[in-house]
């Protein structure tokens, strides 16, 4: 197989993983979402959360999904185009949800949020090892705590 063919096959495998990952998030299934990560390594990083946004292993990543889907039972990811790099896929998209439980220090007021995000899915070969989510947490906080 040529280098170009191997590169195409690797990109297809990575893209299938990212699409499966997003689909599992949209179905609010923490186990299926976690299953898209490498068996050997999984981490999650939300820089806007500071140190609390770093989930270093499978258990911590799973707990993030459990708490996210519990707090936002209608959480939804609307993904834009997938852009491939040497060891990652970059996706710009939108997160939406209606808060039904406290999350990240924000008490639930039953309000919704709708925000643009950038997600960097990092790979080792064809294995997803980290998702890094860039977002404006201040915007989300304002939407969830706004008073009429």
């Amino acid at each position: 197989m040529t280098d170009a063919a191997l590169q195409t096959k690797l990109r297809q495998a990575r893209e299938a993983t990212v699409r499966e990952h997003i689909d599992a998030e949209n179905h609010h299934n923490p186990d299926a979402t976690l299953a898209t990560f490498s068996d050997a390594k999984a981490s999650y990083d939300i820089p806007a959360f500071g140190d609390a946004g770093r989930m270093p292993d499978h258990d911590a990543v799973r707990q993030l999904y459990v708490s996210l889907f519990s707090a936002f039972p209608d959480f939804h990811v609307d993904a834009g185009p997938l852009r491939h790099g040497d060891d990652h896929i970059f996706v710009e998209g939108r997160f939406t949800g209606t808060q039904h439980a406290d999350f990240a220090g924000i008490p639930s007021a039953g309000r919704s949020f709708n925000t643009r995000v950038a997600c960097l899915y990092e790979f080792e070969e064809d294995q997803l090892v980290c998702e890094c989510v860039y977002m404006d947490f201040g915007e989300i906080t304002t939407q969830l705590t706004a008073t009429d």
Side-chain angles (χ1 to χ4, degrees):
M1 199 177 282
T2 68
D3 285 344
L6 287 172
Q7 186 66 17
T8 298
K9 186 175 180 176
L10 180 60
R11 284 182 171 211
Q12 289 171 337
R14 289 176 176 175
E15 187 164 320
T17 297
V18 169
R19 291 191 187 286
E20 180 182 340
H21 180 94
I22 293 168
D23 185 61
E25 287 176 329
N26 284 335
H27 283 93
H28 312 128
N29 187 331
D31 293 324
T33 308
L34 189 61
T36 64
F37 283 91
S38 165
D39 289 339
K41 186 176 177 183
S43 64
Y44 207 94
D45 189 13
I46 306 171
F49 288 5
D51 288 341
R54 292 188 185 95
M55 279 62 57
D57 58 33
H58 287 86
D59 291 337
V61 173
R62 185 180 189 287
Q63 184 55 46
L64 168 71
Y65 288 124
V66 168
S67 63
L68 177 68
F69 301 149
S70 174
F72 301 94
D74 63 346
F75 178 79
H76 185 76
V77 179
D78 183 17
L82 280 64
R83 304 188 190 287
H84 295 262
D86 290 340
D87 62 355
H88 65 274
I89 293 180
F90 175 82
V91 180
E92 185 176 353
R94 187 162 293 279
F95 285 177
T96 60
T98 305
Q99 190 177 16
H100 289 270
D102 296 354
F103 183 79
I106 303 171
S108 177
R111 297 195 176 280
S112 298
F113 77 95
N114 182 331
T115 194
R116 290 177 62 189
V117 296
C119 301
L120 186 69
Y121 298 89
E122 299 174 14
F123 286 85
E124 291 178 358
E125 294 304 320
D126 65 344
Q127 298 293 298
L128 177 62
V129 295
C130 182
E131 180 180 2
C132 188
V133 177
Y134 298 92
M135 62 184 160
D136 183 345
F137 191 59
E139 176 188 349
I140 294 170
T141 302
T142 297
Q143 290 179 34
L144 294 175
T145 61
T147 57
D148 294 331

